[in-house]
Amino acid sequence: MDSQALGRYVLPTMEDLPRRIPRLIAAVLCTPDGFNICSLGVDEKQVGKLAALSGSLLAVGDATLAELNPATGAHAMDLLTLKAGGFQVLGVKVHKPGGHLILMGAASDTTLGVMIVGMQHVASAIERLFNGG
């Protein structure tokens, strides 16, 4: 499946994010190497940069975790959060056969718990799409 077809395939599931996360500003589903699959609330000028940054953030998180706790392995991170005042960014791995994708979302004035639950729900739904369910 090409990337445009894949984006159309996951878009209905991604569109559940604004219903689950109040004040969602943007969301990006991308490959670990920063290739955009699908996005919400992101203009054409931002999408490539945000996909690349999303992949980089989780890679840096993986490396930090591996350095601090080598027993977990270099790819153990499943979730990463960033917070600046009332603005939060959350990234989660979306597991699929043969690897993973990254779902990154940003919201203002939304609690971390609501973001985690909403993002993990949508990530799980995307995983089910890849596993035929």
Side-chain angles (χ1 to χ4, degrees):
M1 183 179 302
D2 70 30
S3 61
Q4 287 185 343
L6 184 57
R8 286 190 300 273
Y9 182 63
V10 299
L11 181 60
T13 305
M14 289 272 295
E15 288 174 334
D16 196 28
L17 280 169
R19 290 186 287 276
R20 295 190 166 275
I21 301 173
R23 293 172 291 286
L24 181 78
I25 294 167
V28 175
L29 180 68
C30 62
T31 63
D33 59 353
F35 186 76
N36 179 59
I37 302 295
C38 187
S39 61
L40 301 173
V42 179
D43 68 32
E44 290 298 317
K45 290 184 254 179
Q46 292 177 306
V47 72
K49 184 182 280 187
L50 287 175
L53 288 169
S54 297
S56 297
L57 283 172
L58 254 61
V60 168
D62 280 338
T64 303
L65 184 61
E67 187 64 32
L68 293 172
N69 190 2
T72 63
H75 300 288
M77 180 170 284
D78 290 313
L79 184 141
L80 177 72
T81 65
L82 301 170
K83 182 172 172 51
F87 187 79
Q88 294 196 86
V89 177
L90 189 120
V92 295
K93 283 186 180 174
V94 177
H95 301 280
K96 67 178 192 65
H100 70 275
L101 298 173
I102 297 165
L103 178 62
M104 188 73 65
S108 288
D109 301 315
T110 301
T111 65
L112 180 58
V114 168
M115 282 199 70
I116 291 172
V117 170
M119 293 283 287
Q120 286 183 326
H121 177 84
V122 170
S124 293
I126 294 170
E127 287 175 359
R128 285 192 298 276
L129 290 175
F130 286 114
N131 293 310

